[in-house]
Amino acid sequence: MSELPALPVTFRPGRTRAVLLTAGVAILVVITTVAMLLEQLSPGERLSFVFTGALLFGVLLMLSRPKVVADETGVTVVNIASKRRLAWAEIIQVNLRPGDPWVFLNLSDGTSLPALGIQPGIAKQHAIADARALRALVEDRSTGDLP
């Protein structure tokens, strides 16, 4: 078995996050610059350009939000529009099968929770290593006793 990471540990798709945030800033800057350079635009039209750029940046910011944070008491899964706290014993299995877009956590209540913070995307080997580390933590920390 591999060595367990020190807690707390945060798993997130770093390269994907960097690409999304860079693209968001670039889009906002370009659209704002175009709005300011086009002399025939009224102030309201300029404002709508800037608002559109800010809206696109906000969407990309939300898409860059996912992460999985493991600490001594459990795991927090932050997805695009949701956040869920799990005790270690609630997590039965960590799955990242070939072709999966992200890790799935099989839970003690019979459901499966997607954990978008670990996704193969543009860093497949990193995601596999993160999934293995989270799996090792779950196996080490899960006692089967729910609070």
Side-chain angles (χ1 to χ4, degrees):
M1 185 165 101
S2 63
E3 194 169 318
L4 296 175
L7 296 177
V9 62
T10 300
F11 303 104
R12 73 173 4 141
R15 289 184 193 160
T16 302
R17 180 176 167 82
V19 168
L20 290 170
L21 293 176
T22 302
V25 168
I27 288 169
L28 180 58
V29 167
V30 168
I31 290 177
T32 301
T33 302
V34 168
M36 297 307 147
L37 292 176
L38 292 175
E39 296 175 6
Q40 70 271 25
L41 295 180
S42 69
E45 290 170 327
R46 288 177 201 258
L47 185 61
S48 70
F49 266 69
V50 174
F51 178 77
T52 301
L55 185 63
L56 291 171
F57 176 74
V59 168
L60 293 174
L61 186 63
M62 288 296 291
L63 290 173
S64 72
R65 185 173 179 248
K67 65 182 175 180
V68 177
V69 180
D71 60 30
E72 293 293 335
T73 60
V75 175
T76 302
V77 177
V78 179
N79 287 332
I80 294 169
S82 66
K83 180 178 178 179
R84 184 164 174 193
R85 178 76 183 161
L86 301 165
W88 286 110
E90 290 180 83
I91 305 169
I92 302 299
Q93 189 176 30
V94 177
N95 286 318
L96 180 60
R97 297 172 301 243
D100 280 351
W102 40 71
V103 161
F104 288 91
L105 304 177
N106 291 339
L107 305 179
S108 59
D109 65 2
T111 62
S112 182
L113 177 67
L116 280 65
I118 303 174
Q119 51 182 270
I122 57 178
K124 185 176 181 178
Q125 294 308 315
H126 188 264
I128 291 170
D130 285 352
R132 285 182 178 149
L134 182 59
R135 183 178 298 130
L137 284 168
V138 166
E139 289 170 358
D140 182 64
R141 302 236 170 220
S142 291
T143 60
D145 301 324
L146 289 174

